[in-house]
Amino acid sequence: MSNPVLVEVVRGALVESRHRGAVAVMDADGATVFALGDVARAVYPRSAVKPLQALPLIESGAAEKYGFGDKEIALACASHGGEPAHVEVAGRMLARAGLDGEALECGAHWPSHQASSQALARSGAAPSALHNNCSGKHAGFLCVACAAGVDHHGYVKAEHAVQREVRGALESLTGVGLGVDACGIDGCSIPTWAVPLTALAHAFAQFGTGRGLGSERAKSAARIRAACLAQPYYVAGTGRFCTEIMTLLGTRVLAKTGAEGVFCGALPEVGLGIALKCDDGATRAAEVTMATMIARFLPMAEDERGAVGRFLRPTLRNWNGIEVGGLRSAEALSS
Amino acid sequence: MSNPVLVEVVRGALVESRHRGAVAVMDADGATVFALGDVARAVYPRSAVKPLQALPLIESGAAEKYGFGDKEIALACASHGGEPAHVEVAGRMLARAGLDGEALECGAHWPSHQASSQALARSGAAPSALHNNCSGKHAGFLCVACAAGVDHHGYVKAEHAVQREVRGALESLTGVGLGVDACGIDGCSIPTWAVPLTALAHAFAQFGTGRGLGSERAKSAARIRAACLAQPYYVAGTGRFCTEIMTLLGTRVLAKTGAEGVFCGALPEVGLGIALKCDDGATRAAEVTMATMIARFLPMAEDERGAVGRFLRPTLRNWNGIEVGGLRSAEALSS
């Protein structure tokens, strides 16, 4: 059984490459609004659930204790580009808890934002864990530990109090029990728990609307959503899909990318959650699929619809800037 | 009709991502030795046919006129990492024809070799067309034009004498007529002509053995092969699959990657050519598929087989160096 082709990559007169995958759109009551492909298969959501993983930061009182505003909370949900402003906010979050970048257990990598990476190289410095795209999330985890007076060492381990809190939030929102048979280790060393796309989409519908959540949790979810939508630059960065689509559509969409072709999101005003995965792990196809779902389910004004067009059919240009092709949703997705 | 899964990406206990595609292994007489998936579908070979595209450089006498050795000829077949030695040889090739980097029409991009890219940024310089992974091929094209006394401007265009020569060589070796309906523009602005995998594999079987070619062409193919196998560093670069597999197996394998998940190669001692494409364009899966084909069809000593293992089942490590999973050939490919 193979998933349908979601996105085609065109060059000249031919389809050069094809991306298969599955998509689920659910409402907060758990009703399936749209499903394509094997939406029951458990997939690792990777970074796409960072907004959910940030719930303990709010619910523990740590965000309040350390005086976090929208930027800090947005960065706790981010897969950021390692731009100077991202690094600065991550460092500030840690400082509030009396820590610095040394406490991060996510590992170091060069900023994915090319200009920032080159500027860092020009300065003669090497990247630190603060440049890791997950440093905001990890700073949040460390703050949860410190606010609770728990030893933060090993906070990335499944058995640490912080990860137990995070797992509890995910289990509660997805309605799925998360055991070791569904556990992988993420790029930043924390556990990633596999969940069916339907459960992820349902979780995001609840997260986006507050429906089906207790009043405290609904308030925490609303706080995280408000932070991401007020400061979308801190959720990803310059030129990035999540930042640009949230900037464009304001409070009407929450969108979060994950590694290996995952995307999750919420459309609060229509009460829907979206979860998708490209089989092959391609981000380019996950983005086109996400844009296609947003355009399909979110009522948009003429000018918004025009602006979303470049996410629906991105142009491919070569090193000389010549248009050589583009991406488009395939029939199964667009029909 | 969907192509079979060739390669699986495992994380924890689950298969996280899957890559589909097609593979053809042919002999020089055009007999199919192995075929998986839709091997009759025309695919853009992209950079995987660079060794074939270098034939006019030898056959025109340009390589001899300008005194090119193995490094220059290997670089004319390269998708290189933009390391200093690559840039130096590309510049030297152009100088022999009285040109410099300004004549290149491939566009500029930062070196794909990370340390070289960072060193370039540290130096305060910007990348030039010499850093483009195709600069050696383009230097070769320019040398063909200059040696023939043809105006080199616009040498990337399909109608230019150089590209007509290149197309002629590809048509002759693949046995496929290449028209505008099968033409795309490559990343470096030259035409890329779509050809079925069977025809590409057959072309590489001939290229690798000389069988079925005229004696002059067989000699030219042997010269190119000898150059690549003598200087595999100049075909790709540090840490790259093509360079490492050719270094490991010496004269017994010619392997050339192409963008969008294409790989071509020849196993001269067993008289075979290989061509494959991953549907989704993923290089990681194309490499595992290529390694699997080499291991299957090339007789290897025990130590060679051991050394090839890391290409057959690459390990995935996260930013902390922790092993989090790996790639492996799927059942359809390994059975």
Side-chain angles (χ1 to χ4, degrees):
Chain A
M1 181 192 54
S2 64
N3 281 330
V5 174
L6 301 179
V7 173
E8 294 174 332
V9 183
V10 177
R11 181 179 298 264
L14 302 182
V15 174
E16 181 168 29
S17 295
R18 293 160 179 81
H19 297 280
R20 293 173 182 274
V23 193
V25 181
M26 309 282 288
D27 69 18
D29 299 324
T32 303
V33 174
F34 180 87
L36 197 61
D38 184 359
V39 294
R41 184 196 283 166
V43 306
Y44 294 123
R46 310 292 300 272
S47 290
V49 289
K50 277 177 177 165
L52 279 50
Q53 291 172 322
L55 281 167
L57 178 63
I58 308 297
E59 294 176 350
S60 68
E64 194 177 7
K65 174 171 181 176
Y66 297 125
F68 288 172
D70 289 337
K71 288 182 185 174
E72 289 80 4
I73 296 172
L75 198 76
C77 303
S79 300
H80 65 72
E83 300 180 57
H86 299 137
V87 172
E88 186 201 326
V89 173
R92 190 199 307 163
M93 291 170 73
L94 291 166
R96 295 273 172 83
L99 299 173
D100 61 21
E102 291 295 309
L104 293 169
E105 299 181 17
C106 50
H109 65 73
W110 287 90
S112 67
H113 181 248
Q114 199 179 40
S116 298
S117 183
Q118 284 147 9
L120 186 66
R122 263 196 300 277
S123 78
S128 75
L130 288 166
H131 297 95
N132 187 308
N133 76 90
C134 301
S135 67
K137 177 175 75 173
H138 281 248
F141 290 156
L142 283 161
C143 288
V144 171
C146 290
V150 169
D151 180 10
H152 62 77
H153 294 92
Y155 71 88
V156 295
K157 304 268 184 206
E159 60 273 18
H160 190 279
V162 171
Q163 296 308 326
R164 287 205 311 267
E165 288 288 325
V166 170
R167 185 176 61 173
L170 290 171
E171 283 184 326
S172 162
L173 271 152
T174 60
V176 176
L178 303 173
V180 289
D181 55 328
C183 189
I185 300 173
D186 213 323
C188 64
S189 292
I190 71 160
T192 180
W193 308 93
V195 176
L197 289 174
T198 46
L200 286 169
H202 183 205
F204 270 81
Q206 295 174 283
F207 188 84
T209 60
R211 284 192 59 182
L213 306 179
S215 67
E216 275 310 299
R217 174 144 291 176
K219 241 174 80 181
S220 302
R223 179 72 194 94
I224 293 169
R225 233 167 50 227
C228 292
L229 301 178
Q231 295 290 345
Y233 170 77
Y234 288 88
V235 179
T238 304
R240 294 272 303 279
F241 180 93
C242 293
T243 295
E244 298 207 340
I245 203 89
M246 290 195 283
T247 302
L248 181 64
L249 296 171
T251 57
R252 308 170 66 207
V253 59
L254 175 72
K256 185 64 196 75
T257 190
E260 291 291 331
V262 177
F263 235 107
C264 287
L267 306 176
E269 76 182 68
V270 289
L272 299 177
I274 304 167
L276 65 94
K277 174 167 165 75
C278 294
D279 291 350
D280 53 66
T283 296
R284 64 180 182 182
E287 291 177 350
V288 170
T289 305
M290 189 67 182
T292 304
M293 290 296 98
I294 292 168
R296 182 174 184 139
F297 291 104
L298 190 67
M300 285 191 276
E302 195 78 20
D303 60 327
E304 286 177 327
R305 195 158 287 279
V308 166
R310 70 187 177 91
F311 300 105
L312 294 172
R313 293 178 76 100
T315 299
L316 289 179
R317 294 185 184 279
N318 72 5
W319 299 116
N320 282 317
I322 298 168
E323 181 172 340
V324 294
L327 279 74
R328 66 184 184 201
S329 56
E331 205 190 333
L333 190 63
S334 55
S335 65
Chain B
M1 182 191 53
S2 64
N3 281 328
V5 174
L6 301 179
V7 173
E8 293 173 335
V9 182
V10 177
R11 180 179 299 263
L14 302 182
V15 173
E16 181 168 29
S17 297
R18 294 160 178 81
H19 297 279
R20 294 173 181 273
V23 194
V25 181
M26 310 282 288
D27 69 18
D29 299 323
T32 304
V33 173
F34 180 87
L36 197 60
D38 183 359
V39 294
R41 183 196 285 167
V43 305
Y44 294 124
R46 309 292 301 272
S47 291
V49 289
K50 277 177 176 162
L52 278 50
Q53 291 172 322
L55 281 167
L57 178 64
I58 308 297
E59 294 177 349
S60 68
E64 194 177 8
K65 176 173 179 174
Y66 297 125
F68 288 172
D70 288 338
K71 289 182 184 174
E72 289 82 4
I73 296 172
L75 198 76
C77 302
S79 300
H80 64 71
E83 299 179 58
H86 299 136
V87 172
E88 186 200 327
V89 171
R92 189 200 305 163
M93 291 170 74
L94 291 165
R96 295 272 172 84
L99 300 173
D100 62 22
E102 292 294 310
L104 292 168
E105 299 180 17
C106 50
H109 65 74
W110 287 90
S112 67
H113 181 248
Q114 199 180 41
S116 299
S117 183
Q118 284 147 8
L120 186 65
R122 263 195 300 276
S123 78
S128 74
L130 288 166
H131 298 94
N132 186 307
N133 76 88
C134 301
S135 67
K137 177 176 74 170
H138 281 248
F141 289 157
L142 282 161
C143 288
V144 171
C146 290
V150 169
D151 179 10
H152 63 76
H153 295 92
Y155 72 88
V156 294
K157 303 270 184 203
E159 60 272 18
H160 190 279
V162 170
Q163 296 308 326
R164 289 206 311 268
E165 287 287 325
V166 169
R167 183 175 63 173
L170 290 171
E171 285 185 323
S172 163
L173 270 152
T174 60
V176 175
L178 303 174
V180 289
D181 56 327
C183 187
I185 300 174
D186 213 322
C188 65
S189 293
I190 70 160
T192 179
W193 309 93
V195 176
L197 290 173
T198 46
L200 286 169
H202 183 203
F204 269 82
Q206 295 174 285
F207 188 85
T209 60
R211 282 192 61 182
L213 306 178
S215 68
E216 273 312 298
R217 173 144 292 175
K219 239 174 82 182
S220 302
R223 179 73 193 91
I224 293 169
R225 233 167 50 230
C228 292
L229 301 178
Q231 295 290 346
Y233 169 78
Y234 287 88
V235 177
T238 304
R240 295 273 302 281
F241 180 94
C242 292
T243 296
E244 297 207 341
I245 202 89
M246 290 195 283
T247 302
L248 181 64
L249 295 171
T251 57
R252 305 170 68 208
V253 59
L254 175 71
K256 185 65 195 73
T257 189
E260 292 290 332
V262 177
F263 235 107
C264 287
L267 307 175
E269 76 182 70
V270 288
L272 299 177
I274 304 168
L276 65 94
K277 173 166 167 71
C278 293
D279 291 350
D280 53 67
T283 296
R284 65 181 183 182
E287 290 176 352
V288 170
T289 305
M290 189 67 184
T292 304
M293 290 295 98
I294 293 169
R296 180 172 185 142
F297 291 104
L298 191 68
M300 284 190 278
E302 195 77 23
D303 60 329
E304 286 177 324
R305 194 159 287 280
V308 166
R310 71 187 177 92
F311 301 104
L312 295 172
R313 293 180 77 101
T315 299
L316 288 180
R317 293 184 184 279
N318 73 4
W319 300 116
N320 282 318
I322 298 168
E323 181 170 341
V324 292
L327 280 74
R328 66 185 184 201
S329 56
E331 205 190 335
L333 190 64
S334 54
S335 64

